[in-house]
């Protein structure tokens, strides 16, 4: 099928009056950045809707790229014709010809007269188009309730649009439209999925990764940078804070409380992330925790760990099964990287039986007994290296778009 345009449909956010313009701006920018790969394609805005003129590009290829854009719920490829009865009937016949319906295919025509100056009402148009279709295609039957093909016809003043297919897209909120959070990114399977899920919900993220040279290797760090790059494909430019965690971590290894070491490390990670959040103006911390997955993710552990921060701790995967998480990881392109076998700082020094129900008072006592813990934490923040990923290309894109849309 040869199509002329794509109709983009948006999700729940579009209803929110006050933010609407801001959301639309963010959507446009994101769509434009994907269209860079299709030089003949154009973005057309009309009556509060967004269309993409295909300019000869294959509709399936463009849809495959656009359906990953947060905020788009579905995409319909559209044929365009002139707004006259003859042309509309002719285009509908051609349309059906290409669909080549098999015996018994059910259909209905659903016309919408947007341009009230058009000579026939929507209701009349259903018949004026439906009848010639039935005459030409013996295989067709009308079914107004649940047809196989619902041919939609939108009659506008300058053009009429015909479409019937709809491809589902990712949904969610426009990128960066719901505030900023710090994302705890390990090299594992879960946290990149948690990151993507947060971005889908409109969160702008800054990524925070803890590494422990020489216990963790350069390769482990590179892997996290690669993961961040994949995430930048969804978010646009993104910051990655690399926190040297060796000194904080080793301060916990000498105290003869091996069972609590993960709890202690996690609490320190949260303290550091909280300080970075304050510095960067972020209002929450996101982790890849999933209830019951490992000892540090029991309810008892989450309780004691979570108390180390005053910020909301968001856990997008908390109720998800591993198999669901893996499925998303595969779809978003992080899985293959995540399963590369490099060590994470949390898998080091892991005791055989870590506490699943740590005692908050004991944990706080241990922390108080480590005299220089708060300065170790401050040092880690001070020595954090920040890199920006997904940069140059995105910047060029947005400055080109700026002129058109801002
Ligand atoms: P993941 O697959 O995300 O590593 P996991 O099942 O291995 O998760 P844990 O290692 O217990 O779980 O980590 C739980 C969460 O703590 C991670 O999802 C991540 O948000 C955070 N985290 C763990 N290690 C690090 C790290 N080195 N740097 C930043 N965050 C981390
Ligand atoms: Mg991990």
């Amino acid at each position: 099928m040869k199509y002329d345009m794509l109709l983009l449909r948006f999700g729940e956010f579009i209803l929110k009056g006050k933010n609407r313009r801001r959301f639309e701006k963010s959507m446009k920018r994101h769509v434009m950045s994907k269209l860079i790969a299709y030089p003949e394609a154009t973005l057309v805005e009309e009556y509060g809707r967004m269309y993409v003129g295909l300019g000869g590009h294959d509709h399936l290829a463009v849809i495959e790229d656009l359906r990953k854009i947060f905020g788009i719920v579905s995409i319909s490829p559209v044929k365009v014709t002139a707004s006259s009865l003859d042309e509309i009937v002719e285009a509908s016949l051609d349309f059906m010809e290409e669909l080549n319906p098999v015996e018994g295919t059910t259909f209905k025509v659903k016309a919408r007269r947007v341009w009230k100056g058009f000579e026939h009402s929507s209701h009349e148009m259903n018949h004026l188009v439906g009848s010639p279709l039935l005459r030409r295609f013996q295989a067709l039957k009308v079914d107004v309730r649940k047809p196989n093909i619902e041919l939609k016809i939108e009659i506008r003043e300058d053009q009429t649009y015909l479409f019937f297919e709809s491809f589902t897209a990712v949904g969610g909120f426009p990128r960066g439209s719901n505030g900023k959070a710090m994302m705890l990114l390990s090299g594992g399977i879960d946290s990149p999925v948690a990151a993507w899920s947060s971005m889908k919900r409109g969160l702008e993220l800054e990524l925070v990764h803890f590494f422990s040279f020489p216990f963790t290797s350069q390769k482990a760090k590179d892997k996290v940078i690669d993961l961040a790059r994949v995430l930048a494909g969804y978010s646009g430019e993104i910051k990655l804070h690399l926190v040297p965690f060796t000194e904080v971590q080793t301060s916990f290894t000498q105290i003869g409380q091996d069972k609590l070491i993960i709890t202690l490390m996690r609490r320190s990670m949260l303290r550091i992330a909280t300080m970075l959040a304050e510095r960067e103006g972020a209002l929450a911390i996101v982790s890849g925790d999933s209830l019951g997955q490992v000892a540090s993710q029991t309810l008892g552990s989450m309780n004691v760990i979570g108390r180390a921060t005053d910020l909301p701790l968001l856990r997008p995967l908390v109720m998800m099964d591993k198999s669901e998480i893996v499925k998303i990881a595969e779809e978003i392109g992080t899985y293959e990287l995540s399963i590369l076998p490099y060590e994470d700082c949390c898998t080091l020094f892991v005791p055989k039986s870590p506490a699943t129900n740590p005692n908050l008072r004991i944990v706080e006592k241990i922390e108080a007994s480590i005299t220089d813990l708060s300065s170790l934490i401050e040092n880690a923040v001070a020595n954090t290296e920040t890199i920006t990923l997904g940069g140059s290309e995105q910047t060029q894109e947005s400055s080109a778009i700026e002129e058109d849309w801002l």
Side-chain angles (χ1 to χ4, degrees), residues 207-225:
L207 310 172
V208 183
H209 176 69
F210 299 87
F211 67 96
S212 293
F213 279 152
F215 306 112
T216 60
S217 62
Q218 181 60 38
K219 277 190 171 161
K221 201 167 159 188
D222 290 344
K223 167 181 164 179
V224 171
I225 295 173

Side-chain angles (χ1 to χ4, degrees), residues 184-186 188-191 210 266 288-289 293 296-297 344-345:
L184 303 182
L185 184 70
S186 71
I189 295 168
D190 302 324
S191 47
F210 299 87
R266 278 292 141 70
D289 291 334
Q293 204 185 75
S296 61
Q297 296 170 32
D344 182 59
C345 67

Side-chain angles (χ1 to χ4, degrees), residues 7 23 45 51 83 116 120 128 131 154 179 194 204 239 260 263-264 287 304 330 344 395:
L7 161 60
F23 284 176
E45 256 200 308
Y51 298 88
S83 291
K116 297 301 172 202
H120 304 285
L128 288 169
S131 305
E154 283 191 12
E204 178 190 350
K239 275 190 200 169
L260 290 175
T263 312
L264 293 161
S287 81
V304 171
E330 285 170 339
D344 182 59
T395 319

